[in-house]
Amino acid sequence: MGSKTQRLRPSANLVTITFSRMTASYNPQEIEKKWQQRWAEDWLYGVSETSAKPKWYALTMFPYTSGDLHIGHWYAMAPSDVHARFKRMQGYNVLHPMGFDAFGLPAENAAISRGIHPFVWTMQNVDNMRRQLKSIGAIYDWSREVITCLPDYYKWTQWFFLKLYEKGLAYRGKAQVNWCPRCQTVLANEQVVDGFCERCGAAVIRRDLEQWFFRITKYADELMEHNGIDWPERIKIMQRNWVGKSTGTEISFALDHPGVEEKEMRVFTTRPDTTFGVTFMVLAPEHPLVDKLTSPEKKAEVEEYVARSRRQTEIERLSAEREKDGVFIGAYVTNRLNGERVPIWIADYVLLSYGTGAVMGVPAHDERDFAFAQRYNLLIRVVVAPPGWQRGELEEAYTEPGIMVNSGNFNGLPSQQGIEAVSDFLEEKGWGKRAVTYRLRDWLISRQRYWGAPIPMIYCPNCGIVPVPEEDLPVLLPEDAEFKPTGESPLKYHEQFVNTTCPRCSAPAKRETDTMDTFMCSSWYFLRYASPDCDNAAFDAERVKYWLPVDLYTGGAEHAVMHLFYARFFIKALRDMGLVDFDEPFSRLFNQGVIIVERQKMSKSRGNVITPDEYVSELGADAVRAYLMFVAPWEQGGEWDDSGISGISRWLNRVWRLVLEGYDQGVEVSSEEKQKAQRALSRIAHQTIRKVTQDLEKLRLNTMIAALMEFTNYLAKVKKEEGAVSVSAWKEASDTLLLLLAPTAPHLAEELWQQTGHGYSIHNQSWPKWDEELAKDEELTLVVQVNGKLRDRMVVPASITEDEAKNTALNRQRVKSYIGGKKVLKTIYVPGRLVNLVVR
RNA sequence: GCCGGGGUGGCGGAAUUGGCAGACGCACCGGACUUAAAAUCCGGCGGACUUAGUCCUUGUGGGUUCGAGUCCCACUCCCGGCACCA
């Protein structure tokens, strides 16, 4: 374990560095503190909407208020700040805000386990995290900070709830929750361990509870599209899979059961071509028809099965590994296509919440139905013939296309055509219709918790569900709630909170005691940053119009579906209300990779959290910023390994000395030589500007740092030959280095800018532009290959023609020796790259 | 099982999208400076061999091509997501 402590400590010997000449040494602690103070005093990074520059909204996913920023947070924030600074120097009016996602379960757990109020716990964490964030040296304009647990924020979260309710997008419905019968409380999924209550060990059951939902499914089709936005393909695919659209047919099976008014049972299928192969019917155990149809002699068995499946958690029930079981309920439906009577079963592999909650069993052509039929000896009838089928029994379900058999008039038809033909026929007869079904469910936002925004609804015995009037917002969280360790919302037991009067009829009424899912808070925070001081609306429409949509949104891929999906839904709903005028909140999305430690994600519970603070105090924020960018491609992330940070620290020290030591005239060289050296210097400088600029645009930050290092190395080489270039040429190159370095190492660059006689501040300078002419190579190295094998290199003028290149290659001594007396069959010339001679 | 991403020196990673494999760093080795150490500076650093050179080398096997880390096929291992969605 001692080795672990060592790992977490920066190597101690990097701090003291002495110089050959008399130059004050690089002291990051001192200059970082100094400049951070100065920037704050001058409000250097203050943002307003009155700028004539084009706007740029650079957003980093705000952190949850867990307590400490670890190196993973820095990995999200430092590189995005570098990019935002780059855009700022490029002449944009940049909004790069920061805030806190402050509601959520951990605060409440802290309250229960340590007796500290969630508000106090959260705000202490905010203070500490804000202090850490300031040490990054980012351009956050702290006057725009947003904290979601403060009433001036959640007031508007509640307001959005009311708007969604008004538009019919929020509704109350039944949903199953994990329920502990001993604790008498709702449990979150993570509190259920192998089907048992984490706290008391009782078997957890699933229970229906009235909850609030958002009708996100209304936007299912639009959410599958990502038109006009630049997002990683991977994330778009995940979101499309999440929506899970499937097109098929809803088929009606005839029901004729004494005393039951329903005369049909509907199923959804993507394979109507297999309808003649239906040999049983399966309902979800919770299906409303189960009770009505079960025959008296099956009642006990069916009830037991239903109770058993309720006892299982969703996760267990959905596990594909589980063997399929079920119970025949003693009733039948009729398949209208062939008039056959088909037995009805219940089985928990059928989900009530998908399709119609009922499926037709076609064991020959569906793997699940096949397994089920085998287990209960149900008939397996082939209706789509596999290639070369000899009318024998199937070993496994055949799910591929084939020729229809045993299917009445449809026999002989290819099954893909059969899908259409059977659907047409069913529609003609009125026995079914084409339908679309989604995997996506409506968004359940109710949480039986204290630390969240209260849902602004009132239950009146006379008027029913009544929304809290807008002017009564916010519905404040009572401060003095009791935190009993039950896991149930303390609001339920808070008399003053619960008891109210109906806004409509003034009768005594009760408040909703559930709070909202915290994803609701993070679905609109990026709007609040545009006008955080706005107190008569959630946001100032004009300022939102100016800033939104977000130009570049960066954060972890773990939010690929939930957060990003909900935020998109939110914006589409607001658009349809006329509150915003854009379709998508985030124009470009970039996911940075994850920093792992000992092959695992960093987390407090694992005890493998790496704090940046020690590195910052030893080596400076600039070194940590640069190292995080250099250590791996940003989108990839990787294992945290601090052994390489010394290389960055050495480099920054080298820059310090290089720039401050200045450049002497040195020995005079001929003007021709001098010109050549100066041309080379300016060429390298312009190539570096090009490389650094392009890498920044593409967020390829590791190679950007490498380019800056190479430029530094080149300058060091030039400096060693003092006199080779003029003092002014040197100065220009050294200034370029500082400007290119400014986003990455803002403190160091500022200090050196000032010490080399420039005005304050380097961060208000324009980003250098490259000149394609000056960046052009005058000569280049052509590779000569013989039969694809590298045999020679030749330095040639960049202007060389194809013929010249080929001739030069053929006349090279080394090349000749490989050609010998053989015949040159073909010569391939790739300009700027190679000549390849094919000989035999 | 399905979807997505990946496998390059001792290590992190480069490679203008089919054209010099190993940029830039770390670690290591040698040298200079020093009483000494650190720091700094200079040089070396994929492997093998018959070492001014030649051959091999980008997870494995095959293919396309003048030319493959890059494209195609098969396999394999690792990471992320979904996981009975009819």
Side-chain angles (χ1 to χ4, degrees), chain A residues 640-654:
Chain A
W640 174 254
D641 169 12
D642 64 11
S643 67
I645 198 168
S646 56
I648 292 288
S649 201
R650 286 205 274 255
W651 169 53
L652 294 180
N653 273 290
R654 238 172 22 242

Side-chain angles (χ1 to χ4, degrees), chain A residues 158-166 456-457 467-470 473:
Chain A
Q158 293 172 335
W159 183 81
F160 282 118
F161 181 95
L162 294 179
K163 288 288 138 191
L164 291 167
Y165 181 72
E166 224 172 78
M457 285 288 166
V468 172
E470 278 181 34
L473 294 181

Side-chain angles (χ1 to χ4, degrees), chain A residues 565-585:
Chain A
F565 203 72
Y566 295 145
R568 292 179 65 220
F569 157 69
F570 225 80
I571 288 306
K572 289 174 194 306
L574 296 195
R575 176 203 58 200
D576 289 348
M577 294 172 197
L579 293 172
V580 300
D581 63 354
F582 50 93
D583 298 317
E584 292 284 351

Side-chain angles (χ1 to χ4, degrees), chain A residues 153 156-164 169 214-216 219 223 443 445 516-527 538-539 562-580 582-586:
Chain A
Y153 184 86
W156 302 111
T157 308
Q158 293 172 335
W159 183 81
F160 282 118
F161 181 95
L162 294 179
K163 288 288 138 191
L164 291 167
L169 290 170
F214 286 157
R215 215 178 288 283
I216 195 169
Y219 290 91
L223 287 167
W443 177 11
I445 60 133
M516 289 183 237
D517 181 3
T518 52
F519 278 120
M520 173 92 184
C521 308
S522 55
S523 288
W524 73 279
Y525 77 109
F526 46 92
L527 299 174
F539 54 84
M562 312 266 260
H563 162 58
L564 291 168
F565 203 72
Y566 295 145
R568 292 179 65 220
F569 157 69
F570 225 80
I571 288 306
K572 289 174 194 306
L574 296 195
R575 176 203 58 200
D576 289 348
M577 294 172 197
L579 293 172
V580 300
F582 50 93
D583 298 317
E584 292 284 351
F586 315 120

Side-chain angles (χ1 to χ4, degrees), chain A residues 230-372:
Chain A
D230 177 12
W231 279 33
E233 206 52 41
R234 179 171 49 113
I235 304 292
K236 293 195 280 187
I237 290 169
M238 274 196 231
Q239 293 203 342
R240 279 200 293 272
N241 292 343
W242 190 256
V243 175
K245 182 178 185 169
S246 56
T247 47
T249 304
E250 220 176 271
I251 303 176
S252 163
F253 284 72
L255 194 61
D256 181 19
H257 204 82
V260 174
E261 65 183 284
E262 286 89 348
K263 291 297 167 212
E264 63 168 1
M265 185 180 286
R266 298 187 79 87
V267 300
F268 173 78
T269 180
T270 54
R271 293 294 303 275
D273 55 316
T274 64
T275 311
F276 285 86
V278 173
T279 55
F280 57 96
M281 212 59 179
V282 193
L283 298 182
E286 312 88 336
H287 197 285
L289 279 172
V290 173
D291 237 13
K292 298 180 185 175
L293 298 178
T294 304
S295 66
E297 61 272 22
K298 290 285 178 187
K299 203 153 192 81
E301 200 188 339
V302 167
E303 271 172 7
E304 205 225 293
Y305 185 84
V306 172
R308 184 148 50 88
S309 60
R310 276 187 173 277
R311 243 180 275 130
Q312 295 171 45
T313 63
E314 185 101 359
I315 294 136
E316 284 172 338
R317 188 173 150 183
L318 290 185
S319 160
E321 256 82 294
R322 257 187 68 230
E323 244 198 89
K324 282 151 196 49
D325 59 9
V327 177
F328 173 50
I329 67 168
Y332 296 84
V333 286
T334 305
N335 183 349
R336 301 187 208 256
L337 283 186
N338 55 12
E340 274 179 30
R341 230 161 74 100
V342 177
I344 304 171
W345 288 65
I346 57 171
D348 61 13
Y349 77 86
V350 175
L351 308 173
L352 183 66
S353 48
Y354 184 80
T356 61
V359 303
M360 58 189 209
V362 187
H365 307 293
D366 180 282
E367 279 160 33
R368 296 154 300 184
D369 297 345
F370 189 88
F372 194 76

